[in-house]
Amino acid sequence: MNTSQNTDTYATDRFQMVQYQLVSRGIQDERVLKAMSEVPRHLFVPELYRHAAYEDCPLPIGEGQTISQPYMVAIMTQCLGLKGKEKVLEIGTGSGYQAAILSRLASYVYTIERHEGLALRAKKILKQMGYDNIEVIVGDGSLGLPEKAPFHGIIVTACAPHVPERLLNQLETGGRLVIPMGNPYNQILQQVIKTKSEMKSRDILECAFVPLIGEEGWKQE
Ligand code: SAH
C-alpha cells in the first residue's frame, strides 16, 4: 500500500472535512481536530467507496455494517475528554477508523468486534499504518473487557437497548461512557460520567447506529 501517496491525494478533502463538518458544527477539542486532520480515513473505507471517504455521511464497510459519519466520530471522541494518558475501550471496531483516532489521543486502546472478518481487516490496516497501541479483540463487546478494567473511557459505536450495567462497572471514578441508546428508529447519543457517588447522564444528539448485538445488547440483527 502506498500510504504517503494516498494521503497526499486526499489531504485537501481531509482539511475541508475538518473545517466544514467539524469546526463549523462546534467541535472545539484541538486534539480531536488534529487527530482527524491526520488519520487517513480513506484507507479504512473499502475501495469502492474511497472517493467518498471524506463526505458528510456513514459508508458501508461490509457485513451490513458502516463506518460512522466523521462528525459522529468527532463528537463521540470529544465526549470522552481524553488528555493522553488514558486506557480506553471501544465496542464495535468496524473499519478500525475510530480506534485509530482514539489511539492518537489516549495511551492504549482495546477494541472489540463481533465479526471476525471485520476485526481481521481492521487489525491488518492498523498494523500496516504502524498504530502499535491498539489491541483488536474478537468477541461480544457488550460484556466489556473485565480483565483489562477499569477504563477511563468506554465508547460504544453500536446502538444499545439500555446502558449495559457491566460497562458502567468497568469505568473508573471520573471515567466516561459514550453510547447510542434506543431502537432502530429512534436513537440518542448519551454521555455518562461516573462520579464517586452517582452516574451523571447527558443527552448529546440524535443519531442512527447499527445495533449492538450481544448478551447486554439486542439479541439478533
Ligand atoms: N467504530 C467503527 C464503526 C462501527 S459500526 C468504525 O470506526 O468503523 C458498529 C460495529 O459494531 C459493527 O462492526 C458491528 O459488527 C459491531 N458490533 C455490534 N455488536 C457488537 C458486540 N456486541 N460486540 C462487538 N462488536 C459489535
Side-chain angles (χ1 to χ4, degrees), residues 65-66 90 92-95 98 112-115 139-141 157 213:
Q65 309 302 322
T66 52
E90 180 194 22
T93 314
S95 68
Q98 173 76 71
I112 310 180
E113 171 56 53
R114 66 185 280 270
H115 281 292
D140 178 6
T157 63
I213 309 287

Side-chain angles (χ1 to χ4, degrees), residues 104-165:
R104 306 296 81 202
L105 301 170
S107 87
Y108 204 85
V109 180
Y110 294 94
T111 178
I112 310 180
E113 171 56 53
R114 66 185 280 270
H115 281 292
E116 190 174 18
L118 291 178
L120 289 176
R121 196 168 72 198
K123 201 172 186 168
K124 193 169 153 204
I125 299 171
L126 292 166
K127 190 170 175 212
Q128 275 172 352
M129 295 177 65
Y131 295 119
D132 57 5
N133 60 340
I134 307 175
E135 187 176 334
V136 182
I137 296 150
V138 179
D140 178 6
S142 72
L143 304 174
L145 197 58
E147 63 271 32
K148 301 292 180 189
F151 301 97
H152 170 83
I154 303 181
I155 175 169
V156 184
T157 63
C159 177
H162 60 263
V163 176
E165 195 64 32

Side-chain angles (χ1 to χ4, degrees), residues 183-201:
N183 56 51
Y185 312 103
N186 192 2
Q187 300 179 15
I188 186 101
L189 183 68
Q190 281 196 345
Q191 178 198 50
V192 184
I193 302 184
K194 184 174 188 171
T195 71
K196 274 197 185 122
S197 54
E198 57 169 344
M199 299 288 173
K200 279 192 192 160
S201 291

